[in-house]
Amino acid sequence: MNQSLIARGSILDVAKAGDAALALLDVKLVLLCDRSSAMITPDAYGGKMRYAAEDEVIQRLQAQYPGQIALIAFGSDAQMCLGGILPIPGGTTDMVAALDLASPFMDAGTKAVLISDGEPNDEIETLECARKLRGKLECVYVGPEGGPGHEFMKRLAREAGGNLASGDLTKDTSLLETGLMQLLLRAGK
């Protein structure tokens, strides 16, 4: 990923010349974004790839809520995206690595949302990791209606004390955006 790209409203954008670690203290929501190869599937609204539709929503929310959203991208590994730009998808779906990165935020009381088509590398290990989390992990399923990952995402949300929402990207992106915006507004109270 090109580190010189910084999205408007991202942690690095808000920190500017300041300290990104201090900017992280203002985060209200951590988004764990699936960047596995499956997110390249062009079944989102308007023939877009899933990741492109997800990116549009995240860019708008970061601009609307500057410095309040931290991004964790996960594919074959997981990484913080302080510049607010998610990497191009590729590889497998290491949800455990993403949950491990999100855990300190959740320990501090920050809300977390995992957005995925629900097909992790290891379902059992992912569910075990979810049971150990402090706080709730909300889950948003962005795969096809009735897809193979839907049932797993239900189990993951239940094990992590959260809820499952559908961010059906095949219809449009408003469902995903509205759900994330509601979580942000509740986090600010």
Side-chain angles (χ1 to χ4, degrees), residues 17 24 26 38 44 72 85 108 114 122 147 161-162 171-172 174-175 181:
L24 285 171
D26 292 329
I72 294 174
I85 306 291
L114 187 140
D122 186 327
K171 295 185 174 91
D172 65 25
S174 65
L175 193 58
M181 197 176 317

Side-chain angles (χ1 to χ4, degrees), residues 161-174:
N163 298 295
L164 175 67
S166 174
D168 192 345
L169 297 176
T170 61
K171 295 185 174 91
D172 65 25
T173 58
S174 65

Side-chain angles (χ1 to χ4, degrees), residues 32 34 38-39 41 43 50 54 74 95 113-120 137-157 163-173 175-177 179-180 183:
L32 292 76
D34 187 340
M39 295 301 283
T41 307
D43 61 359
R50 290 178 193 167
E54 177 185 50
F74 64 97
M95 283 186 191
V113 179
L114 187 140
I115 303 168
S116 177
D117 63 357
E119 298 185 52
L137 175 70
E138 305 293 344
C139 297
V140 180
Y141 174 71
V142 293
E145 191 173 324
H150 190 255
E151 285 303 313
F152 173 76
M153 290 294 281
K154 277 188 201 175
R155 288 195 323 263
L156 179 61
N163 298 295
L164 175 67
S166 174
D168 192 345
L169 297 176
T170 61
K171 295 185 174 91
D172 65 25
T173 58
L175 193 58
L176 176 60
E177 187 166 358
L180 294 175
L183 283 168

